[in-house]
Amino acid sequence: MSSDADIPRTDKRASKIARRIEADIVRRGWPVGESLGSEQALQQRFCVSRSVLREAVRLVEHHQVARMRRGPSGGLLVCEPDAGPATRAVVIYLEYLGTTLGDLLNARLVLEPLAAALAAEHIDETGIEALRAVLRAEEQWHPGMPAPREEFHVALAERSKNPVLQLFIDVLMRLTKRYAFESRTASENEAIEAVDQMHHAHSDIVAAVTAGDSARARTLTERHVQAVTAWLQEHQDGADATARVRGPRRARLEIDAPRGKLAEVLAVTISDDIAASGWHVGSVFGTEAALLERYRVSRSVLREAVRLLEYHTIARMRRGPGGGLIVTQPQAQASIDTIALYLQYRKPSREDLRRVRDAIEIDNVARVVRRRSEPEVAAFLQPNLQPNRPAPTQATARATDDLRKAAVEEFRFHVGLSQLAGNSLLELFLRIIVELFRRHWSSSGQALPTWSDVVAVEHAHERILEAISIGDDSLARYRVRRHLDAAASWWL
């Protein structure tokens, strides 16, 4: 019988301490450069051993929230994070889910036109120059160089001044890049024609954004994303919209990178290799000795990388006969927590959150209308068939006893619609937004909804489901939009 004695993995106590440290940083307003205390002081504060504290600090450093500096003036210093850990965590999880090309391009069609419209509303001289610089770089392209695909879309999202959109579009472009990596190589003439068409489309979008014409910027971006969709589908070696994202194999590791950074790179590389091999949950990806030989890193770097893989439930190390790095089933929560934490640093406004939420929700309800005859959707539309969504009288009685549960039901209703819509990307994005709202609620002491709020929200849910059940797409969208506006206090 194989032993379950593992190489030291992420301790549950360490994870809890890491979350407490991160929550403290958020409460303080994310004071970059400020020390939270020495290692000894933090041990005393949290009443944990040095080993548990150091494990917690590793997770905090992984999120780039803070870093430990040794020496007389050292301590745990608050950092300015970047989007790297957040986007990598989401991409890894989505790859495991098997995000389809159709899901990816639908998500881009929902979010990128919104980003273009917002960019036109917020554009300034600096933004105009940034976008035109991307266009000039595209003009320098020639055959043999990588196609300049994602830079423009990331730059356009930045001009939207909406940090939620920026991060989500960054994730979408990373996934698009992975599809493009696998795309059938075009001939030189085809490549030149494709880049010329892309550049022309980008130039038109920039002109509309620069002119402040948000409607035209939105329309042109929709057309461009649809053209990208057609190109990717044509060049997927016979694949269709159900083709799934697979991570590309990576080149050798940069062995000169600092230990912490190298462990991050190794964790991503192993994740990609697990995805490329088919993600066989429960299988042994390799023994520790085999992995050391394969990736040519030190034992300390490998074990640091394994801790990150375990944190994201990608794999875990098990000793004994039949042991090694065991492939596991990733869970969404680690990705949601990582990206929500980063967005807390970016401090999106209520309007930022509302804009993205509304775009996703309206697309979701339209997709559910189209799927209303499918058994899963049909069951959701009939309250008496749903153990998780009580009939109105039941919901009203329960809300009387606990109004807080009514707020939870409001979120569950919208996440439930998102699940039925069938786009794993947009579902995850909505869950991230819900998590941000939840954190806002728990930290702000926001008042619970009133009795009349509960009745109104339950009534709105029933009317939305009624419109879906009769296949009235425009009415369902209208009712969702009205409901989101009316229930703003629950969310915001």
Side-chain angles (χ1 to χ4, degrees), residues 272-284:
D272 281 342
D273 289 345
I274 287 173
S277 67
W279 214 302
H280 302 293
V281 173
S283 66
V284 179

Side-chain angles (χ1 to χ4, degrees), residues 30-148:
W30 215 297
V32 173
E34 182 177 304
S35 174
L36 301 178
S38 65
E39 183 177 71
Q40 184 177 10
L42 292 170
Q43 275 184 251
Q44 294 174 349
R45 175 182 171 187
F46 295 113
C47 301
V48 293
S49 66
R50 176 180 292 179
S51 62
V52 170
L53 179 67
R54 288 187 173 181
E55 189 69 26
V57 168
R58 287 189 186 100
L59 287 177
V60 172
E61 290 178 331
H62 167 57
H63 287 160
Q64 297 186 0
V65 172
R67 63 182 176 83
M68 185 63 78
R69 185 173 68 188
R70 310 295 176 185
S73 60
L76 190 61
L77 304 180
V78 179
C79 295
E80 180 178 353
D82 65 41
T87 52
R88 283 195 294 271
V90 173
V91 167
I92 288 168
Y93 176 69
L94 289 169
E95 284 187 343
Y96 167 74
L97 287 184
T99 301
T100 67
L101 178 60
D103 285 349
L104 170 60
L105 295 171
N106 171 242
R108 288 188 59 180
L109 197 56
V110 170
L111 298 181
E112 288 195 64
L114 173 60
L118 290 175
E121 294 176 13
H122 297 297
I123 198 65
D124 54 21
E125 292 278 352
T126 301
I128 292 170
E129 175 54 30
L131 291 174
R132 289 181 174 179
V134 175
L135 295 180
R136 289 194 295 270
E138 291 177 356
E139 291 170 354
Q140 302 302 313
W141 180 87
H142 57 78
M145 295 175 62

Side-chain angles (χ1 to χ4, degrees), residues 287-301:
T287 64
E288 184 180 52
L291 295 172
L292 290 171
E293 175 65 23
R294 177 175 180 177
Y295 295 107
R296 299 189 178 279
V297 295
S298 68
R299 181 173 279 105
S300 63
V301 167

Side-chain angles (χ1 to χ4, degrees), residues 237-273:
D237 287 326
D240 58 20
T242 64
R244 299 185 181 275
V245 175
R246 294 189 184 276
R249 297 228 176 233
R250 294 177 177 266
R252 68 176 184 84
L253 299 177
E254 296 297 330
I255 59 174
D256 293 331
R259 176 185 164 191
K261 183 178 179 181
L262 182 54
E264 293 266 0
V265 173
L266 177 58
V268 173
T269 302
I270 293 174
S271 299
D272 281 342
D273 289 345

